[in-house]
Amino acid sequence: MPAPLQNIDFIDLKKQYLRLKPEIDARMQAVLDHGQYIMGPEVKELEQQLAAYVGVKHAIGVSDGTTALQIALMALGIGPGDEVITTPFTFIATAETISLLGATPVFVDIDPATCNLDASLLEAAITPHTKAIIPVSLYGQVADIEAINAVAARHSLPVIEDAAQSFGATRHGKRSCGLTTIGSTSFFPSKPLGCYGDGGALFTHDDDLARRISQIRLHGQSQRYVHSAIGVNGRLDTLQAAVLLVKLAHFDEDVRLRGEAGARYTRLIEQAAHPHIRTVQVAEGNTSVYAQYTVLVPNRAKVIEVLKANGIPTAVHYPMCLHKQPVYAGTPLASQHFPHAELAADSVMSLPMFPDIDHALQAQIVEHLVAAVDSTL
């Protein structure tokens, strides 16, 4: 076993802050000076810049990524009796928001190479009750959107891209969040573009959907104290918008660094040629922002224990498929079987990953990974 490592962060947000400190401090001070903490001018400025970045007509800032999904579903009129197709291998928010509105999540298995929804299984899952499809762009790369959109178009179904982990990624040169009926993302601090609290955004080319989304995020308000729809308190606060404005200005550099760090991990692991370590593949035509760098290993719990003892933090996204979650026990979902998603849930493990990660450190982490897997076989 190589020599233990010390003081490694799984995600180092401090380095980025120190790099951007003068600009972030100045932007936040401007908000403190004008005092418009809710729906201040920075929110509108950010929305305009986000829309331009993604290449859509409309970007609407919201309070967080989960609320973004809920608002998207509400804007599409999803409710009791409806079904929404998605993946069982994702964070609970994807299915939770469907259930919260009284609709039923319907799961299809994942592509084992990318861990994203397998578009070839969609058609068979569609019923007369299907009202939308939510592919998740997991780990930093977009799902097979062309195939998903083609199936959706044949059945006149809207598609919501859950891009909580893929903002900044591209598919055939087009940016995540601008590829479907609605794009939804999160600005949670650990995301590729993260604020210093909760935040999110929705994206669309559709004027009517943009109007409905904007109303719903503000208690359904169409003008002051006139409520034309049932809505939620889903506003993005001004201080978070101020932070995001600075980070967005430097985001292309972060995306480049993330891409290089992810490719470096892949190269190192391929060079190690370990038969029991598999990487999540980046699909042809995709770029990834590597929200996580994820590998699949046997005996994961033991591997994690060995790595931890040697100073290397890890994370698991996600250890339990949604159909196996206790909240869905007693429902028809609980008895379903999705072999690729279930294998991934038992095997995935993410390594330390952030734009400023040291090259030599990555090599040491892979060396420890190989030794840890060997020690548990």
Side-chain angles (χ1 to χ4, degrees):
M1 181 69 67
L5 304 178
Q6 294 182 341
N7 302 320
I8 297 175
D9 291 305
F10 182 71
I11 297 174
D12 189 346
L13 299 176
K14 297 184 291 291
K15 275 188 180 179
Q16 185 192 47
Y17 170 63
L18 292 172
R19 176 159 47 92
L20 303 176
K21 185 179 188 302
E23 294 173 71
I24 289 174
D25 290 358
R27 272 287 191 175
M28 294 185 77
Q29 187 61 53
V31 176
L32 296 173
D33 288 342
H34 66 56
Q36 298 177 56
Y37 301 117
I38 303 296
M39 300 297 285
E42 286 81 0
V43 174
K44 188 64 178 176
E45 183 183 354
L46 176 67
E47 289 173 339
Q48 291 169 345
Q49 292 191 22
L50 288 172
Y53 180 85
V54 170
V56 295
K57 286 181 71 176
H58 305 282
I60 301 100
V62 296
S63 56
D64 57 84
T66 303
T67 302
L69 287 171
Q70 181 182 340
I71 291 172
L73 290 164
M74 291 172 72
L76 293 169
I78 305 297
D82 295 337
E83 294 175 353
V84 179
I85 299 173
T86 190
T87 166
F89 188 57
T90 179
F91 184 56
I92 186 65
T94 313
E96 177 183 48
T97 50
I98 298 166
S99 298
L100 191 64
L101 295 174
T104 301
V106 173
F107 298 129
V108 299
D109 209 352
I110 61 170
D111 174 349
T114 65
C115 291
N116 278 330
L117 184 150
D118 186 341
S120 70
L121 303 175
L122 269 178
E123 199 97 44
I126 293 173
T127 76
H129 300 290
T130 306
K131 294 295 184 277
I133 301 169
I134 305 181
V136 177
S137 296
L138 199 67
Y139 297 146
Q141 70 169 320
V142 176
D144 187 357
I145 290 295
E146 295 89 355
I148 294 165
N149 282 345
V151 173
R154 285 198 294 274
H155 296 270
S156 301
L157 295 171
V159 178
I160 302 168
E161 183 195 5
D162 182 346
Q165 298 181 12
S166 63
F167 187 82
T170 62
R171 181 161 177 83
H172 299 301
K174 295 182 179 179
R175 284 199 165 114
S176 177
C177 291
L179 303 166
T180 57
T181 314
I182 301 174
S184 171
T185 199
S186 167
F187 299 130
F188 187 79
S190 62
K191 302 298 184 187
L193 180 64
C195 54
Y196 292 155
D198 276 315
L202 289 159
F203 302 82
T204 187
H205 291 282
D206 186 296
D207 294 341
D208 187 54
L209 272 178
R211 178 185 57 78
R212 278 184 270 167
I213 289 167
S214 296
Q215 288 181 6
I216 291 168
R217 69 143 175 206
L218 195 57
H219 299 286
Q221 187 170 270
S222 52
Q223 52 183 294
R224 189 165 176 80
Y225 297 128
V226 177
H227 303 272
S228 303
I230 296 297
V232 297
N233 182 6
R235 302 165 297 201
L236 175 66
D237 80 64
T238 312
L239 279 168
Q240 301 306 335
V243 171
L244 288 165
L245 280 165
V246 175
K247 289 196 172 189
L248 184 59
H250 296 270
F251 190 52
D252 283 342
E253 176 68 1
D254 279 354
V255 168
R256 182 184 68 79
L257 291 171
R258 282 182 171 276
E260 290 176 356
R264 194 176 304 112
Y265 263 139
T266 299
R267 198 161 53 246
L268 289 164
I269 292 169
E270 287 175 348
Q271 287 168 358
H274 196 291
H276 297 291
I277 301 173
R278 181 162 68 86
T279 62
V280 174
Q281 299 297 300
V282 177
E284 185 180 353
N286 276 3
T287 64
S288 178
V289 287
Y290 293 101
Q292 295 87 20
Y293 188 88
T294 301
V295 296
L296 295 90
V297 297
N299 305 317
R300 181 180 64 202
K302 291 181 179 178
V303 172
I304 288 173
E305 186 179 329
V306 172
L307 290 173
K308 183 178 179 182
N310 283 272
I312 299 170
T314 58
V316 178
H317 307 91
Y318 297 96
M320 185 184 293
C321 290
L322 298 188
H323 63 291
K324 291 183 173 292
Q325 290 289 346
V327 70
Y328 291 123
T331 75
L333 295 172
S335 62
Q336 294 177 358
H337 183 45
F338 305 98
H340 294 309
E342 290 162 23
L343 179 61
D346 288 340
S347 308
V348 294
M349 181 185 71
S350 297
L351 303 176
M353 178 70 188
F354 44 91
D356 302 295
I357 191 166
D358 183 76
H359 300 188
L361 175 60
Q362 287 187 273
Q364 291 174 300
I365 289 169
V366 171
E367 188 181 4
H368 273 276
L369 173 64
V370 170
V373 172
D374 280 340
S375 74
T376 61
L377 292 175

